[in-house]
Structure formats: C-alpha cells, structure tokens
Amino acid sequence: MVVSMVLAGLVAVAAGPGAEAAGEAGDPARPGPVFRTVTDKSALLSLQTFGRPDGRDMVFRISGSVYTDIPGNAQQPRLSHGRKLFNIEGYNIRRLYRVPGTTQLYQLSREIVFYTDPADPTQIVREWANPIDGRTYPVVPINNDTVNFGPFDVTPSFQGPPLRQLHDETVWSSDIPVRVDYGAALGETFGLVNGVYTAQEMFDFSVDDREVRARTVPGTVPPGAMRTKISWARTSPWAPFMCLAESAVPGRLNYHARAWSLPSYRHLEPWLRAEVEARYPLYTAAPPSPGPSQNSWTSFHAKQLRGGATTWTDWCAASGKTS
C-alpha cells in the first residue's frame, strides 16, 4: 500500500519516561505485561492495532483498487483519467515486540500486496502494458521487508488518538502528508518531479463497541487479535514498475482499499497463501526483532535496482518489452 506507509496511521502518542515492566515472566519480549499499566481507552485500542498483546503474529488483510488521476485528462486517449488499472490484494503481517526489561514497544511487520486483474481480484497480474510508450513491463508487487515502527514508550500516561462514536462503532482517523526527497536520500529520482516523492495517506479505523468494551478493561491483558476494520486511501505517483516518469507524464494513482484484522497467517485465503509460499516465503511471518524499515520505493531501490547498482531508467530500458 502499500505503499509502504500502508497502516502507518496507527500511530499513538506516548508520554513520560520509561520504566521497568511489571510482571515480566517467560519471554522477556512479550508485550502483554505493558498492557496492564495502560488506563487510556484510546491507547489500549491503538496498541491492539499494532499487534496482539501476546506478541504472536497477526494480519491485516488488504483489498482494494487502483485508479488513474490525470489532471485535465491530458493523457487521453492512451490513458484516461479515472481508469481502473488494478485490484490490489495482500496483507501486512505484524507483531508487538517489547525491549526486554523496559516498557518500550516496537511494531514489527512485513507487507506483501499484489496487483491483480481489474475484473478478477484473485488473478495476479505479472505484466503491465504501458499505453504511453507501448512497452510491457514486469509488475512488481508491494513487498516491503520490513515495515517497523518504534520504539514507543508505554507508560501509564500513554495516550492514543481522539475517538468518535458512529452508531455502534468506535472510530478514529489519521491523515498523513508524505514528502521524501529520494534524489537526495537514494541518489535516484525515479522520474519524480525534482526527485521528491509526495503522497497523501488517509486512514479510518473502526471497532465494534462490544469489542471495545471487552478489550479496554484497565489492568487486564486482552486475548488474541482485536477485530478491527480499516478504510485506506492514498494518492501517490505512478508505481516504479510502470516506468512512467511523473516529470514527463503528469498524473498519479489513487489507491482505495479496506483492511481487516485476522488472528494469524493461516486465516488468509488459500490462493493468497499459495502465491506467497511459492514466491515470497519470507512474508509468512513477522520479523523477529527490530531493524530498518522499507516502503514501496526503497524496496524497489533495494531489490530491483540492487541498492543503486543500476538506475531506474536503465531498469526500465532493460525490463520493458516492445509489444
């Protein structure tokens, strides 16, 4: 999403210095004891979107669509504004990790999201015909290893985002403007205007009130994974594999998706697990410990461009086939 700011709107706000976690027993990285110290309802909810209180893997299944956003419909008739290019299907697998002996938590995750046929979400698209240059390119899924957040210090004064009540659901939002100078950071512009990536990420989270009541009891450790729904939208430049330079082909992509929590990897659909296990087995589990974080663009730079051993322009020239 994604994208790799997919689900980044789960940020909560910490306050106060660190302290020794009470009740530390068994696995010292287990996050559960920290939950007992939190009193803020919003904080308890947002923590459970980061991961399960028992520290086991959980999944946010992601499903949506990708559309063109072309000012003035300037690429017509080759590429029209509002055209649905792909469906997107995948997930983020995550866990909560506690720095042993502290109240500091990390969210550790990996995410894999496939571009699929606009008419059949279960059919993964392997190649994309670029209507601007007439060449066909390999479709590179969103495959970010890793997507980490933290550490954040969970003291009794830890607070979450503002909550709202909509009928029988508790909801909260996060809207994130993103700006990254990849020309300066990576030495690669990807055809972006001035080498700068700009995007807007917009998240809405909702939890049924019965789930809220059961999982926000002070002094307790909630079991398993919280049943959460997420609505996500993103406006961002052309995906790197499309080989469309934003500076030469004005336009962007609109991602519109929803996500829902699952207790574990085994709860994913068989077709999705089969693809992952055959081609991307790393994404069957969350990372074991903290490390550097990736997004869709840094992942493409690391894997397709081999960390800068080749350029985006050269990759497009070598990968594209004339139709």
Side-chain angles (χ1 to χ4, degrees):
M1 348 177 124
V2 48
V3 117
S4 331
M5 292 293 295
V6 166
L7 307 177
L10 302 174
V11 175
V13 180
E20 284 293 313
E24 182 174 355
D27 181 0
R30 182 169 55 94
V34 177
F35 279 78
R36 298 185 188 278
T37 71
V38 178
T39 59
D40 181 68
K41 174 181 175 181
S42 175
L44 285 169
L45 292 176
S46 62
L47 281 173
Q48 291 176 78
T49 60
F50 284 131
R52 292 170 51 134
D54 60 15
R56 297 179 180 176
D57 286 358
M58 66 175 280
V59 165
F60 271 107
R61 173 73 166 87
I62 302 165
S63 178
S65 303
V66 184
Y67 302 87
T68 60
D69 182 4
I70 303 175
N73 202 21
Q75 307 304 327
Q76 181 72 9
R78 294 176 297 175
L79 190 59
S80 59
H81 172 73
R83 176 180 167 185
K84 183 178 179 180
L85 296 179
F86 310 102
N87 282 306
I88 49 172
E89 302 291 334
Y91 62 89
N92 174 290
I93 187 164
R94 59 179 57 198
R95 62 184 289 258
L96 274 173
Y97 170 89
R98 177 162 61 100
V99 179
T102 76
T103 54
Q104 294 184 356
L105 296 182
Y106 282 87
Q107 175 206 286
L108 309 179
S109 74
R110 294 183 171 106
E111 62 187 15
I112 181 82
V113 182
F114 298 100
Y115 292 92
T116 66
D117 189 279
D120 184 351
T122 67
Q123 295 299 311
I124 294 171
V125 176
R126 309 291 183 188
E127 294 184 326
W128 182 70
N130 181 329
I132 302 298
D133 66 10
R135 290 164 62 83
T136 298
Y137 296 95
V139 173
V140 178
I142 298 162
N143 60 116
N144 299 327
D145 171 40
T146 58
V147 185
N148 295 333
F149 174 73
F152 44 99
D153 199 25
V154 183
T155 68
S157 57
F158 187 83
Q159 295 183 348
L163 303 178
R164 294 185 62 189
Q165 193 68 31
L166 294 183
H167 297 301
D168 57 352
E169 291 186 324
T170 297
V171 303
W172 64 98
S173 299
S174 182
D175 297 334
I176 306 169
V178 185
R179 181 190 181 280
V180 184
D181 188 340
Y182 286 128
L186 300 176
E188 173 58 64
T189 69
F190 294 102
L192 298 167
V193 175
N194 299 323
V196 176
Y197 172 92
T198 59
Q200 185 74 26
E201 304 266 358
M202 294 162 283
F203 300 86
D204 291 312
F205 307 87
S206 63
V207 181
D208 180 272
D209 284 344
R210 291 169 297 181
E211 187 84 341
V212 171
R213 288 191 294 271
R215 306 187 73 87
T216 56
V217 179
T220 67
V221 180
M226 184 171 70
R227 293 170 62 89
T228 310
K229 294 178 289 186
I230 301 175
S231 173
W232 170 68
R234 181 177 78 175
T235 298
S236 60
W238 309 114
F241 73 82
M242 298 172 75
C243 293
L244 290 172
E246 181 187 51
S247 57
V249 184
R252 298 171 74 77
L253 295 176
N254 284 333
Y255 292 77
H256 186 206
R258 64 250 18 119
W260 58 97
S261 59
L262 297 173
S264 68
Y265 171 79
R266 65 184 177 84
H267 288 81
L268 290 163
E269 303 98 304
W271 75 266
L272 191 52
R273 295 201 312 269
E275 176 69 15
V276 170
E277 289 161 18
R279 296 172 180 261
Y280 300 91
L282 186 66
Y283 294 83
T284 60
S289 59
S293 196
Q294 284 187 339
N295 59 41
S296 299
W297 297 79
T298 60
S299 175
F300 193 96
H301 185 266
K303 299 173 179 110
Q304 272 61 51
L305 305 188
R306 305 192 306 282
T310 189
T311 67
W312 176 76
T313 299
D314 288 343
W315 183 89
C316 291
S319 301
K321 299 184 297 184
T322 303
S323 300

